Amino acid sequence: QPPPLIAGNWKMNGLAADLAEAEAVAAGLSGVTARVAICPSATLVARMAQALKGTSVAVGGQDCRAEASGAFTGDVSAGQLVDAGASLVILG
């Protein structure tokens, strides 16, 4: 059985200056056996993935459209999330 997942959904919060907070979370996980993820708004996914590269913290998207592309204003596809560095997504 995989370890529990603890995911922080940043919702519509956070700017580039707040990436240091995510880095602090990653630095403070010594001894934690749960999987940890942070799901920032779409504007921060790529920058957060870069900032957390090499840490145990996964980066996820907050939502995902089923279609791979198209005229869906404001939506994000799974391929776009993966391209930005996300490895999971919150759905529902």
Side-chain angles (χ1 to χ4, degrees), residues 3 6 13 20 57 60 62 81:
I6 300 169
N13 297 294
V57 179
Q62 293 181 358
L81 288 172

Side-chain angles (χ1 to χ4, degrees), residues 1-90:
Q1 174 154 333
L5 171 65
I6 300 169
N9 182 354
W10 279 22
K11 300 198 179 275
M12 197 179 74
N13 297 294
L15 300 171
D18 298 310
L19 292 174
E21 186 174 343
E23 292 169 326
V25 167
L29 292 177
S30 179
V32 174
T33 58
R35 297 174 297 149
V36 176
I38 300 175
C39 301
S41 61
T43 61
L44 287 179
V45 170
R47 287 179 280 187
M48 185 171 289
Q50 186 61 39
L52 296 178
K53 190 173 186 172
T55 74
S56 63
V57 179
V59 176
Q62 293 181 358
D63 200 4
C64 178
R65 179 133 191 139
E67 287 82 10
S69 62
F72 306 106
T73 302
D75 286 357
V76 179
S77 72
Q80 289 173 316
L81 288 172
V82 169
D83 187 56
S87 59
L88 53 95
V89 65
I90 299 169

